Amino acid sequence: MKQSLVTIANLTKEKIEYLVEMASEFEKYPNRKTLEGRVVATLFFEPSTRTRLSFETAANRLGARVIGFTDPKVTSSTKGETLKDTIMMVSNYADVIVMRHYLEGAALYASEVSPVPIINAGDGANQHPTQTMLDLYSIYKTQGTLENLNIYLVGDLKYGRTVHSLLMAMRHFNPTFHFIAPKELAMPDEYKLYCKEHGIRYEEHEEFNEEVISQADILYMTRVQRERFTDLMEYERVKDVYVLKAQMLEQARPNMRILHPLPRVNEIAYDVDDDPHAYYFEQAKNGLYAREAIICDCLGITLDEVRADQTILK
Ligand code: CP
């Protein structure tokens, strides 16, 4: 069945595990003709490197063609065309629409008016469900399980849509979260309430040091997002509050992996890149396989159909 992916909150545990399995299948053979004859549209109203390029790579590696824009200034939205009309137009041309928008709720609205599936590639500070699927795939690959993990979220937990989506997805897997943020960027109350309602354990800290890190299975670093601040003085005050350095990893658990949705600015020093705990570049690569799975799933293509497809390309 064709369906949109707007929020991770709608995915069941079985569905998440199914998509992880499908991503794993695509990692074995990323090049196939599964989407031959389809058109994938990528509408990016906000900047992106990884999300857009990995979606477009996923579409290309599966034989689809890609249309879209990376800058809304070159579209008729500058002439006053509404989001609804833009979606209606693009759905005339494409089988599925991948959309990033600066407004929270834009993906949900698009999914309500669109005749073709919408994939939310990030809506303001709200949700980034496809990032979460690649995060979950990365966690599964590195830990061998999604269950019972100690997950430390560090940095901008107020505006960071990736951490909001991740904690919602992990509700199925009995995690313990640690929220490490300055007061100005603390996890919003609505997400703490979500944790309470779903029995997710969490602790809040402002300290970020070797001892804190030593308890982590996953250390999920985030960028302080300048573009989300209305008060740039506040941004200046908090932008470099947490910087992970290689020397802070000496007591880290052997299984611990450092994730970051990227881009990074200063929050991970370059000397961490060579540390065996660093996983953020592999994580971004996993985005290709996770997004191959998501496009197929949104188009109603099943894992059995993917496996049965004999047109694997080298
Ligand atoms: N992680 C992520 O969303 O990166 P981009 O903004 O480059 O797409």
Side-chain angles (χ1 to χ4, degrees):
M1 190 183 71
K2 290 185 189 182
Q3 59 201 326
S4 295
L5 176 58
V6 170
T7 168
I8 206 78
N10 292 344
L11 299 193
T12 62
K13 180 175 186 177
E14 292 69 32
K15 183 70 178 200
I16 287 172
E17 289 173 338
Y18 173 82
L19 288 173
V20 165
E21 200 178 341
M22 205 194 272
S24 169
E25 178 65 25
F26 278 121
E27 182 163 5
K28 281 185 225 149
Y29 301 108
N31 301 328
R32 302 168 188 245
K33 289 190 175 173
T34 317
L35 296 181
E36 197 168 45
R38 314 279 186 134
V39 175
V40 175
T42 56
L43 311 187
F44 277 68
F45 292 85
E46 264 198 338
S48 166
T49 297
R50 277 148 293 276
T51 309
R52 184 177 66 82
L53 292 177
S54 61
F55 262 117
E56 293 187 357
T57 306
N60 280 310
R61 287 190 181 276
L62 296 181
R65 277 166 290 179
V66 177
I67 61 169
F69 56 81
T70 59
D71 180 357
K73 285 201 222 64
V74 301
T75 73
S76 289
S77 60
T78 57
K79 302 175 202 163
E81 186 157 57
T82 61
L83 180 60
K84 177 180 178 186
D85 286 0
T86 303
I87 294 294
M88 293 306 288
M89 285 308 101
V90 177
S91 67
N92 285 332
Y93 314 136
D95 299 290
V96 58
I97 297 173
V98 179
M99 185 180 85
R100 170 171 289 186
H101 203 282
Y102 48 86
L103 286 180
E104 295 174 24
L108 176 62
Y109 175 72
S111 73
E112 287 169 355
V113 299
S114 176
V116 301
I118 298 288
I119 300 177
N120 182 4
D123 60 330
N126 186 33
Q127 288 267 323
H128 197 348
T130 71
Q131 175 72 43
T132 302
M133 279 315 309
L134 78 90
D135 292 344
L136 294 172
Y137 184 48
S138 299
I139 292 170
Y140 182 78
K141 273 178 69 178
T142 60
Q143 307 299 312
T145 180
L146 293 171
E147 304 278 354
N148 308 321
L149 297 170
N150 265 344
I151 302 179
Y152 287 59
L153 306 178
V154 183
D156 179 357
L157 308 188
K158 180 176 178 184
Y159 300 113
R161 56 194 175 197
T162 64
V163 294
H164 301 159
S165 291
L166 183 60
L167 79 79
M168 286 178 153
M170 289 304 295
R171 73 190 184 281
H172 302 296
F173 303 103
N174 192 37
T176 303
F177 276 105
H178 294 259
F179 302 151
I180 303 179
K183 281 192 190 64
E184 296 88 336
L185 297 176
M187 184 63 79
D189 286 343
E190 66 187 277
Y191 292 104
K192 288 193 268 187
L193 184 62
Y194 185 90
C195 288
K196 284 177 189 148
E197 285 173 353
H198 291 85
I200 301 172
R201 289 179 300 279
Y202 70 86
E203 290 178 23
E204 291 185 283
H205 315 257
E206 283 192 52
E207 290 289 297
F208 181 53
N209 55 36
E210 208 170 324
E211 198 185 323
V212 170
I213 291 169
S214 70
Q215 300 304 311
D217 296 310
I218 294 294
L219 184 60
Y220 195 100
M221 301 296 297
T222 63
R223 175 177 66 96
V224 176
Q225 301 174 79
R226 189 176 188 277
E227 65 273 26
R228 308 269 178 237
F229 283 77
T230 44
D231 177 356
L232 285 184
M233 293 293 286
E234 184 170 298
Y235 168 73
E236 289 299 324
R237 265 199 312 278
V238 295
K239 67 177 184 185
D240 292 328
V241 67
Y242 301 126
V243 179
L244 180 65
K245 301 189 173 106
Q247 71 207 40
M248 295 163 73
L249 298 168
E250 280 165 15
Q251 293 178 34
R253 294 176 175 177
N255 65 301
M256 190 276 268
R257 289 294 176 274
I258 303 159
L259 303 187
H260 190 311
L262 303 177
R264 73 169 147 187
V265 186
N266 289 326
E267 60 280 359
I268 301 180
Y270 284 105
D271 66 0
V272 177
D273 294 358
D274 298 325
D275 189 283
H277 297 95
Y279 194 74
Y280 28 93
F281 294 124
E282 290 94 330
Q283 176 190 1
K285 185 173 182 187
N286 290 335
L288 168 61
Y289 315 125
R291 287 174 172 132
E292 287 187 318
I294 288 164
I295 296 173
C296 287
D297 188 60
C298 287
L299 285 169
I301 297 165
T302 65
L303 178 55
D304 285 344
E305 287 169 326
V306 171
R307 285 189 171 133
D309 185 358
Q310 297 301 307
T311 51
I312 289 166
L313 307 172
K314 294 295 167 202

